[in-house]
Amino acid sequence: MTRKPVVGLALGSGSARGWAHIGVIRALQQAGIQPDLVCGASIGAVVGAAYALGELDRFEQWARGLTGRTVFSFMDFKLSGGMLKGERVIEFFRNRFSDRPIEALDIPFAAVATGLHSGSEVWLRTGSTADAVRASMALPGLFTPAQREGRLLVDGGLVNPVPVSLARAMGADIVIAVDLNADILGRHLRGPGANGANGANGAAKLPAQAPENDEDTAGWLSRLQDGFASLLPAPDPARVPTPSLVEVVLASVNIMQVRITRSRMAGDPPEVMIAPQLAHLGLMDFYRAEEAIAEGQRAAEKTLPFLQQLGLGST
C-alpha cells in the first residue's frame, strides 16, 4: 500500500506582508489540501501558530479588524535592545488566543529563530507557543531580543527566511513554501528609480502611510522623520536623497533575506513555491490585512494545477 505523502507548509518572514499567509491557507483549504505540519519564520511563525492552535478563523477576523490606531497601541517603546519590547503583542496573543505547549497543538508546529550571540539557527519545537512566536518575530532594531534557556534569540528570518529545511526535518515529503520577499529589493527606498517620489525637501518617505481615519497614530514614524528633516539644510537637488535610518535598516534586512532565501532554495528547493506580490506594503502596514490576504489567496490559487499534479487536493 502506497503511503500518503506528508505535506508541510513553510511560511516565510515578511512583517505586515505576512497576512498573505492567511490567504494562502484559505486557498489550500478550499482546494481540499490540508497540510500535515506547519513551520514559520517571524510573521510566518505567528500565522502558523494560529493555524496549528486551531484559531485561524478568529485570528483572521482580528487581523482584518486592525486599524492604524490598534497597531500603534501595541507599541511599547524601549531605548535599549530595540525600539519595541514586544510584550504587549505577546500578552494580547496569550489573552485572546489559547497558548498551549507546542507539543500539544492540533498539528505539528515549529518556529525558527536566530541565536544572537552565536548566529546559529534555532528550531523551537517545544514549550510555550507564544514564547516561540515572540522569539521568531524579534526583528533586530525593532523588537528587543527574546530570552529562552539562557540564550538571546532574534528573528528567524535572519538565517532561514523560508524554512523549507525545518519542514523537511519535521517529516514533510512535499513542502509548500511561501516567500514574501521575492519582489521587495529596493522597494523601501523612495529615491529616484525606486518606484516612489521624493518627500518634502527631498527626504525619502517611509513606506507605511496611515489610513485617513488613523492619521493621529499610525503615521508617527513618517511624521517623526519629517520633523527631523525640517531641521536640516535644504539638500542639493543634484544629489540622491539620503534614506532614513529605518529605511536603510529595512532595505538591508530585505537584501539579506532575499539573498539567503535564494541560496537556500538552490540547495533545498520546495516542491511548490507561492510568492505573493506585496512589495508595496510597508513594515508596519498590519492594518492592510484585506489586500494582503486577498493577494495570498490569489498567489496560492495559481499553483493549484501543479498541486493537483502532485496528487494533492480535489481534481
Side-chain angles (χ1 to χ4, degrees), residues 7-78:
V7 178
L9 187 59
L11 304 178
S13 60
S15 301
R17 297 185 299 277
W19 295 153
H21 291 315
I22 299 173
V24 169
I25 294 172
R26 293 306 188 201
L28 296 178
Q29 289 176 329
Q30 290 169 11
I33 300 171
Q34 198 76 16
D36 299 297
L37 59 89
V38 61
C39 61
S42 196
I43 190 65
V46 177
V47 177
Y51 176 65
L53 282 163
E55 298 273 12
L56 190 63
D57 289 344
R58 287 206 304 136
F59 188 82
E60 178 180 357
Q61 183 180 16
W62 169 75
R64 288 182 182 272
L66 286 175
T67 64
R69 187 185 301 274
T70 311
V71 173
F72 186 80
S73 72
F74 288 133
M75 296 179 182
D76 42 2
F77 295 98
K78 185 179 177 68

Side-chain angles (χ1 to χ4, degrees), residues 100-132:
R100 283 177 280 152
I102 292 175
E103 306 93 309
L105 297 182
D106 296 345
I107 67 171
F109 167 76
V112 59
T114 304
L116 183 60
H117 291 128
S118 65
S120 60
E121 181 175 340
V122 180
W123 291 349
L124 305 174
R125 304 179 64 174
T126 60
S128 163
T129 301
D131 287 347

